[in-house]
Amino acid sequence: MDDSDSESVADSQTTDISNAMDDSDIESVDDSHSTTDKTVDNSETVDNTKESHTDWYPVSFLQRLHDFRSEGHLVDVTLCAEGKEIPCHRLVLSACSDYFYTMFNGAHCESKKDKIEIGGVSAEALQQLVDYAYTSKITITFDNVQPLFEAANMLQVKGVEDRCEKFLTNNLSPETCLVTWVLADKVSSEPLLERAKIYTLKHFEDVCVMEEFLELPVDFLKTCISDDGLHAKKEKRVLEVVMLWVRHLKERQTHLKELLECVRFPHVDREYLNGILETDKLLAGVSAINELTQDQSRHARPRHIQGEILVFGGLTRSVKPKPGDDYDSNDDMYKLTLNCDCVDISPLPPIIWRASAACVVNGDVFITGGANARCHAWRYKPSVDSWTNLGPLVNKERLVNSMVALQGQVYVVGGVGTPKWTPVYDVEVYSEMTDSWKLVAPLLNEGVKDFGIASFCDKIFVFGGRTGKCTLLDHSHNTDAVQCYDPTQNVWTYAAPLPNPMQDIAACSVSSKIYLVGGMLAHVLCYDPQQDCYEKMTDRLNLWSECSATTCGSDIYIIGGCGHDDQFPHATVQRYNVTSDTMVLLKDFPITIFNHISVIVPKA
């Protein structure tokens, strides 16, 4: 979800979240047990009371407390909000809320009062929270999520806070992301704030036409249009949005100059800009407007990378196979937007057979794969949609190798030889000038396949993998070794080992670190080459053994994969943002897929 303004949600500039959401979306939650049953149709019902008969006590106990309250038995305090009085028990409130625990522990005057006015919350939200304390049940809708979230945050009812955050996260849309951003800021929910902000940036074209956009506080708007990751097809659209927002309320004109300073005028068509300066008196009247629009050094860098995701190769299956069944090969290339909308599906040419690895250099895709038990290499130029054969590799008798780009050159690394699946430690680099390959220093005596590979700081890093012939469930050949290649010295050395042996992982370089996903990892694992150490990041959202991973800006797109044991593929697409350490689900891939390749190329 996307960021929100630091001003109060009750501020006149802030929109009411209920206006931006569909009333039919409801989440009912019962927290008395851990088991959950969910129904779909954009509503979520969680009933945690459905346990075995041996677990009747918690439910029975809560019911007795609820009965005591209804009967007025042992009631010792009355909460008041907006004229409504809610009798209850101090003990129950203290057990549910740290706010009330602190209030009733004797250090505050409220601990002795019979009636306590609770300001800053609605009577309805307060009643819901008291009911939750006695029943463990709460119903969240688009109508009540905003006041309920604010009340749960203020009264420190964490169970309801978490449910509201989950509800809003699951229902992000162009209509809701802005008000969610503002609300998340008010309740200091950093994960929700980052998700709402990221959503807004990536769906800017859809979000800026919503009525809610005109109500966005100025600080939020400024944050949005100054971000490198803003997805605007043309910079002139950013300028148009700024002018539209300023004109919505006359008093906003005082913010115009500071907002214009966020517009990247070097990327606005000059003829269009000259024309609007002649006709728009408000814009032309801004002090130093000529300096702003003519300074080519200011914001010279474009915003986010405009790219497309290409996916090819791999295996698919629509129904769970029986023992001995074969998977279906994916012989198509899928082209996706960065929002994971599939824009094209085209068959791979006959020359491409079982593509096993790929990397991108100068916008072109270099691919290797097996044909007749031999390794071949090809080049795909997305700009003209053409495929060509590359010169033969030095070691042609290798399969399931990997590839990586380093300093504008293509490297083929490792693999296994046929027919006995013997390790291949050879590493080759491609010369575009001679259309030929040459051997460089081989891998050390460690993993040669199913490893993660990435380039960083003019070096190649190989993480884990498997060595030698082994079955799917035989982990004895897995390694925790990390091998590092320095082309200036033509030598491989060891880096800090992985926390444990790993296979089927993917490695992606972002900024100054390398992120590992896939395999049996339950989370993203971050490797810092400068500190030579590892850090656990956020958890995965689905199993991802033999997934593919590719990077655009600060986002890692993790496509498909399967369970490590059953090898049954799925179509889930997970996007990990390294800046916010958040994982979100995108639209499913068109087919279930694993053991495939994905790359991101510049958008044509």
Side-chain angles (χ1 to χ4, degrees):
M1 304 172 102
D2 300 327
D3 300 321
S4 51
D5 200 299
S6 58
E7 299 177 19
S8 168
V9 174
D11 189 281
S12 60
Q13 286 187 320
T14 306
T15 57
D16 185 346
I17 201 166
S18 64
N19 294 330
M21 300 179 169
D22 184 348
D23 296 344
S24 63
D25 286 26
I26 298 174
E27 179 178 277
S28 297
V29 181
D30 181 342
D31 280 338
S32 61
H33 292 286
S34 59
T35 305
T36 59
D37 296 325
K38 295 184 179 179
T39 59
V40 196
D41 190 20
N42 271 346
S43 60
E44 183 175 321
T45 301
V46 181
D47 183 358
N48 294 327
T49 60
K50 296 178 180 178
E51 292 281 350
S52 66
H53 66 279
T54 58
D55 294 328
W56 62 268
Y57 180 74
V59 178
S60 175
F61 183 78
L62 285 175
Q63 184 59 51
R64 286 289 280 166
L65 290 177
H66 182 63
D67 292 343
F68 287 168
R69 180 177 60 139
S70 300
E71 298 162 2
H73 182 58
L74 299 178
V75 165
D76 55 3
V77 69
T78 299
L79 301 183
C80 307
E82 299 180 333
K84 182 173 184 176
E85 296 187 350
I86 307 172
C88 38
H89 302 86
R90 282 181 167 82
L91 182 64
V92 175
L93 296 178
S94 298
C96 179
S97 160
D98 289 342
Y99 178 92
F100 287 116
Y101 172 81
T102 303
M103 176 184 287
F104 296 139
N105 71 1
H108 297 271
C109 62
E110 287 88 352
S111 64
K112 307 298 182 183
K113 291 182 178 180
D114 294 330
K115 287 188 178 183
I116 301 172
E117 186 72 29
I118 307 294
V121 301
S122 71
E124 182 180 355
L126 182 60
Q127 180 70 66
Q128 283 187 288
L129 293 178
V130 171
D131 291 344
Y132 173 80
Y134 283 88
T135 66
S136 80
K137 298 177 182 179
I138 194 91
T139 298
I140 303 171
T141 70
F142 281 138
D143 276 340
N144 70 19
V145 66
Q146 180 171 331
L148 188 58
F149 200 178
E150 292 175 7
N153 175 258
M154 176 185 144
L155 301 179
Q156 298 173 271
V157 185
K158 192 172 187 311
V160 176
E161 279 191 275
D162 292 344
R163 295 297 182 176
C164 289
E165 182 176 303
K166 179 182 177 183
F167 179 86
L168 292 168
T169 299
N170 291 343
N171 289 285
L172 276 176
S173 70
E175 293 84 0
T176 65
C177 62
L178 294 176
V179 286
T180 298
W181 184 4
V182 175
L183 176 58
D185 181 76
K186 183 176 183 181
V187 299
S188 300
S189 173
E190 287 296 328
L192 181 60
L193 185 146
E194 282 299 323
R195 287 185 172 96
K197 176 184 175 182
I198 291 168
Y199 189 97
T200 298
L201 296 176
K202 292 186 179 299
H203 298 83
F204 177 76
E205 296 284 351
D206 296 324
V207 172
C208 68
V209 299
M210 300 294 166
E211 291 183 9
E212 291 76 19
F213 195 89
L214 293 177
E215 304 304 322
L216 196 63
V218 63
D219 290 345
F220 286 71
L221 177 59
K222 190 174 179 179
T223 297
C224 183
I225 64 174
S226 62
D227 199 290
D228 285 348
L230 183 69
H231 284 229
K233 292 179 181 177
K234 293 185 178 181
E235 191 67 22
K236 77 170 188 177
R237 182 60 179 145
V238 180
L239 175 58
E240 291 170 350
V241 166
V242 166
M243 299 307 297
L244 185 65
W245 183 90
V246 167
R247 284 193 169 91
H248 186 63
L249 294 172
K250 188 174 181 179
E251 56 268 27
R252 290 180 176 177
Q253 293 181 17
T254 57
H255 298 300
L256 181 54
K257 184 178 179 181
E258 63 178 298
L259 292 172
L260 290 176
E261 290 173 348
C262 303
V263 177
R264 305 192 174 185
F265 285 106
H267 303 284
V268 178
D269 180 76
R270 198 70 219 175
E271 185 176 345
Y272 165 82
L273 191 55
N274 290 338
I276 196 172
L277 284 172
E278 290 179 3
T279 58
D280 193 322
K281 294 181 180 180
L282 179 60
L283 180 63
V286 173
S287 63
I289 185 63
N290 289 331
E291 289 83 350
L292 276 175
T293 58
Q294 294 175 12
D295 186 354
Q296 294 299 305
S297 64
R298 188 183 185 88
H299 298 314
R301 187 177 65 176
R303 296 186 187 271
H304 78 290
I305 300 170
Q306 293 278 2
E308 291 180 320
I309 306 171
L310 303 181
V311 180
F312 41 87
L315 302 172
T316 182
R317 191 74 191 224
S318 57
V319 295
K320 198 162 188 175
K322 299 176 182 178
D325 285 356
D326 290 331
Y327 293 93
D328 299 319
S329 295
N330 169 39
D331 298 320
D332 294 323
M333 180 173 69
Y334 291 79
K335 183 183 293 185
L336 311 173
T337 69
L338 294 181
N339 291 325
C340 269
D341 295 312
C342 185
V343 295
D344 185 54
I345 304 174
S346 57
L348 291 170
I351 61 170
I352 308 298
W353 188 79
R354 291 206 177 175
S356 61
C359 64
V360 178
V361 174
N362 297 325
D364 292 347
V365 185
F366 292 79
I367 304 168
T368 57
N372 301 320
R374 295 168 73 85
C375 187
H376 296 258
W378 305 276
R379 180 178 191 161
Y380 173 62
K381 298 182 75 67
S383 58
V384 292
D385 192 27
S386 68
W387 294 84
T388 55
N389 285 300
L390 298 182
L393 281 82
V394 177
N395 187 339
K396 296 180 283 293
E397 296 184 355
R398 64 162 124 198
L399 299 175
V400 295
N401 58 273
S402 295
M403 298 180 72
V404 69
L406 177 65
Q407 298 175 336
Q409 291 186 292
V410 177
Y411 288 78
V412 170
V413 182
V416 291
T418 57
K420 295 184 178 180
W421 287 72
T422 54
V424 174
Y425 299 100
D426 289 342
V427 179
E428 305 183 33
V429 62
Y430 176 69
S431 170
E432 187 170 3
M433 183 176 296
T434 61
D435 187 29
S436 63
W437 300 82
K438 72 172 183 178
L439 292 173
V440 295
L443 288 166
L444 302 171
N445 190 25
E446 297 291 350
V448 295
K449 67 188 183 80
D450 301 332
F451 49 74
I453 186 168
S455 59
F456 170 78
C457 201
D458 297 333
K459 294 180 181 180
I460 296 172
F461 289 83
V462 169
F463 297 88
R466 296 198 285 181
T467 296
K469 182 178 180 180
C470 52
T471 63
L472 175 65
L473 300 181
D474 178 7
H475 305 312
S476 62
H477 296 272
N478 292 354
T479 179
D480 62 358
V482 178
Q483 306 172 67
C484 176
Y485 176 69
D486 183 347
T488 63
Q489 303 295 320
N490 189 31
V491 64
W492 287 87
T493 56
Y494 286 114
L498 293 162
N500 50 271
M502 297 182 190
Q503 67 177 70
D504 297 331
I505 56 175
C508 295
S509 299
V510 181
S511 299
S512 61
K513 296 178 182 178
I514 300 174
Y515 295 85
L516 306 178
V517 299
M520 297 184 70
L521 283 169
H523 50 263
V524 178
L525 184 64
C526 176
Y527 172 65
D528 186 337
Q530 296 170 326
Q531 300 296 323
D532 200 23
C533 63
Y534 299 87
E535 180 183 2
K536 289 183 179 180
M537 309 305 286
T538 195
D539 291 345
R540 70 189 181 198
L541 298 180
N542 200 353
L543 298 174
W544 54 10
S545 181
E546 299 194 60
C547 64
S548 69
T550 185
T551 303
C552 184
S554 59
D555 288 327
I556 298 175
Y557 292 80
I558 304 154
I559 301 173
C562 61
H564 190 76
D565 294 333
D566 63 11
Q567 292 283 286
F568 186 59
H570 60 73
T572 302
V573 179
Q574 306 173 69
R575 183 175 65 203
Y576 174 66
N577 182 268
V578 303
T579 305
S580 61
D581 186 32
T582 54
M583 186 85 71
V584 297
L585 294 178
L586 301 181
K587 296 177 183 177
D588 279 357
F589 192 69
I591 59 173
T592 62
I593 193 166
F594 75 121
N595 197 26
H596 56 291
I597 305 165
S598 65
V599 295
I600 289 181
V601 297
K603 191 172 182 179

